[in-house]
Amino acid sequence: MTEHKLGEEDSRRLRALFEMATDGIITMSTQGVIENVNQAACELFGYAAKELRGQKVNMLMGEHDRAHHDDYLHRYHATGQKHIIGIGREVIGRRKDGEIFPLRLAVSEVHLDGQTIYTGILHDLSEFKRAQRRVEELNTELENKVEERTAALRERERELQKALSKERELNELKSRFLSMASHEFKTPLSTVLSSIELIELYKETTEQPKREKHVTRIKDAVLQLTEVLNDFLSLSKLEQGEITALPRLIDLRALVATCVESSEGQMKDAQRIILELAEEPKLIVSDPKLLRHVLVNLISNAAKYSSPGQEIRISTGRRQEQCFITVQDQGIGIPAEDQVHLFDRFFRARNVENVQGTGLGLNIVDHYVKLLEGTVEFTSTLGKGSAFTVLIPLGPEQI
């Protein structure tokens, strides 16, 4: 009698523990038929206990496990190979309303009174998964913010490097300018001063030729200063965007002839210009003022860096939809290592340091040609000469 009462008491306690458990508990036969469920399992899946007892447990599983559950059991019974039994794992559950959700499932095998039953303990992972996804989202947001901040810092670093590089460039240009200006202004001003002092000494009428000689020197020095100031003025206007191209129809031969005539004062003794002007193009559409500045500058350079008696050859022609104008000399040429900097402001090749010049001429030429929507090409061999070719569009009417 006492043993019977103790048995009933233990049974009630076990039943109470079974029902009070916060995780879902399901017991089933070896065929996967549900024998018992606790209240937590009913609430978890949305079924009443009576709806589940006697049903196959795979009704509570996701599509994949539901379709393969019987195969799992058959394989386990035949081979003893465990797929879920004795191994905790994450699975997908399916509620009565069809909603699927993540579960932590632990299945144990119990042998009782000669029978085998399976007990599954199920823990809803929905909140955990939501929290996990939120953590992942926060991590992603944080990574994105870090990447954005890093990108911003890198961009800021690039801007600072660019500003620093610009500052170095400006300081270098300033040094070049001061060095150039010191030479280009000091030399002609010294010439003017010494010539004036000498003129004051020539008081006799018979000394007029000497006075005229020094007056010519003064004029040349003033012209030299004017050219320097004109280069500065042109560069300033270019940088401020005050110079624009005003294209119109141009007679190319006439323009070249005008440029040659304007450059006669730059020629050294016995230097001569040879023209090789092709029949086409005769007419182009461009800005005559800018193009004239370009050609006069190139012809002046050719004369300046060539010896007396050497030839300067000017040729024109058509290259597809462009007009080319080439100015070729037999002068000192440009050192190969200096050619990459040839169009930089204030840059002068190392073999022309004793020749008058601001280092702005080719930089201005490059600016003007770009305004004409063209390009400048050049070839040069040290000691043999240089050839500069300007390529500009013919203009729509001439194509």
Side-chain angles (χ1 to χ4, degrees):
M1 187 71 176
T2 304
E3 290 180 359
H4 179 67
K5 289 182 179 179
L6 288 175
E8 291 179 352
E9 183 67 22
D10 288 342
S11 178
R12 284 196 298 272
R13 288 181 179 178
L14 288 173
R15 187 69 190 177
L17 290 172
F18 182 76
E19 292 296 340
M20 291 174 62
T22 57
D23 283 337
I25 302 175
I26 298 176
T27 63
M28 68 201 85
S29 69
T30 55
Q31 285 73 42
V33 177
I34 298 172
E35 295 180 349
N36 211 345
V37 295
N38 70 348
Q39 185 60 32
C42 292
E43 293 175 356
L44 184 61
F45 289 98
Y47 289 97
K50 63 182 180 180
E51 294 179 281
L52 295 175
R53 293 190 187 100
Q55 301 294 325
K56 296 280 289 200
V57 72
N58 63 0
M59 69 180 289
L60 304 177
M61 299 176 183
E63 183 177 349
H64 181 271
D65 287 336
R66 184 167 65 251
H68 295 84
H69 183 257
D70 287 346
D71 292 338
Y72 298 157
L73 288 175
H74 292 154
R75 183 171 64 246
Y76 175 62
H77 295 154
T79 66
Q81 181 182 353
K82 296 180 179 180
H83 185 75
I84 295 179
I85 297 172
I87 304 172
R89 55 171 288 187
E90 288 186 17
V91 296
I92 298 298
R94 185 175 183 273
R95 293 191 173 97
K96 184 178 180 180
D97 61 7
E99 179 188 357
I100 60 173
F101 63 102
L103 285 170
R104 179 70 181 177
L105 172 63
V107 179
S108 60
E109 183 178 16
V110 178
H111 300 283
L112 186 63
D113 295 334
Q115 293 184 338
T116 299
I117 60 172
Y118 300 131
T119 301
I121 300 176
L122 306 107
H123 180 75
D124 188 354
L125 295 176
S126 298
E127 286 298 325
F128 172 78
K129 291 295 183 180
R130 277 193 288 270
Q132 189 178 51
R133 284 194 298 271
R134 182 55 183 158
V135 169
E136 290 173 354
E137 289 171 0
L138 290 173
N139 285 337
T140 301
E141 290 176 9
L142 179 60
E143 288 173 1
N144 290 338
K145 287 181 180 179
V146 169
E147 287 179 3
E148 290 173 4
R149 185 67 59 85
T150 302
L153 289 173
R154 286 175 179 167
E155 180 61 27
R156 179 59 179 163
E157 183 180 359
R158 282 193 292 268
E159 290 175 357
L160 290 173
Q161 289 292 340
K162 187 176 180 180
L164 183 60
S165 177
K166 188 68 175 177
E167 184 177 352
R168 289 199 194 101
E169 181 184 356
L170 289 174
N171 286 335
E172 184 178 352
L173 288 175
K174 180 180 177 182
S175 298
R176 289 183 189 175
F177 169 76
L178 292 175
S179 175
M180 180 278 304
S182 174
H183 179 267
E184 293 301 318
F185 280 94
K186 184 177 180 180
T187 300
L189 287 174
S190 297
T191 299
V192 170
L193 181 60
S194 62
S195 294
I196 289 174
E197 290 174 346
L198 289 171
I199 286 173
E200 290 176 344
L201 299 177
Y202 302 141
K203 299 180 180 179
E204 302 296 330
T205 304
T206 55
E207 295 177 314
Q208 181 62 21
K210 294 180 180 180
R211 284 195 289 269
E212 291 177 354
K213 174 185 175 182
H214 288 291
V215 167
T216 300
R217 290 183 64 199
I218 290 172
K219 289 180 179 179
D220 290 342
V222 171
L223 179 61
Q224 182 178 339
L225 287 172
T226 301
E227 290 176 353
V228 172
L229 292 174
N230 283 339
D231 282 349
F232 290 155
L233 182 60
S234 295
L235 182 63
S236 176
K237 287 182 177 180
L238 282 167
E239 291 185 341
Q240 293 176 24
E242 295 180 6
I243 298 178
T244 56
L246 301 173
R248 62 180 178 84
L249 197 61
I250 302 173
D251 184 321
L252 184 59
R253 286 173 171 266
L255 184 133
V256 172
T258 301
C259 293
V260 170
E261 184 179 349
S262 300
S263 303
E264 288 179 354
Q266 306 291 328
M267 298 293 108
K268 295 177 182 176
D269 292 341
Q271 283 184 341
R272 64 193 185 100
I273 294 177
I274 297 175
L275 299 180
E276 296 178 345
L277 309 182
E279 289 296 322
E280 295 292 338
K282 293 180 179 178
L283 302 175
I284 62 172
V285 177
S286 192
D287 186 316
K289 184 177 180 181
L290 296 184
L291 188 53
R292 188 178 295 113
H293 280 308
V294 168
L295 294 183
V296 168
N297 193 302
L298 293 178
I299 295 170
S300 175
N301 279 354
K304 184 188 301 183
Y305 301 119
S306 297
S307 300
Q310 290 185 322
E311 295 179 351
I312 297 169
R313 196 173 297 269
I314 301 176
S315 56
T316 65
R318 177 171 180 161
R319 187 186 298 179
Q320 296 180 346
E321 297 177 359
Q322 290 182 308
C323 164
F324 73 81
I325 307 171
T326 299
V327 178
Q328 184 175 5
D329 63 56
Q330 300 171 330
I332 61 176
I334 305 160
E337 58 270 27
D338 290 340
Q339 293 181 13
V340 66
H341 301 294
L342 201 56
F343 295 99
D344 293 352
R345 282 178 293 177
F346 303 116
F347 179 79
R348 306 200 71 211
R350 64 197 68 191
N351 61 335
V352 300
E353 292 177 351
N354 295 323
V355 181
Q356 170 195 338
T358 63
L360 291 176
L362 288 176
N363 180 263
I364 293 171
V365 164
D366 188 51
H367 276 86
Y368 283 164
V369 173
K370 285 177 181 175
L371 287 174
L372 296 174
E373 298 182 358
T375 56
V376 184
E377 300 175 348
F378 73 92
T379 58
S380 185
T381 303
L382 194 62
K384 294 185 178 181
S386 304
F388 285 82
T389 299
V390 176
L391 290 162
I392 56 174
L394 291 170
E397 297 88 349
Q398 310 308 313
I399 296 175

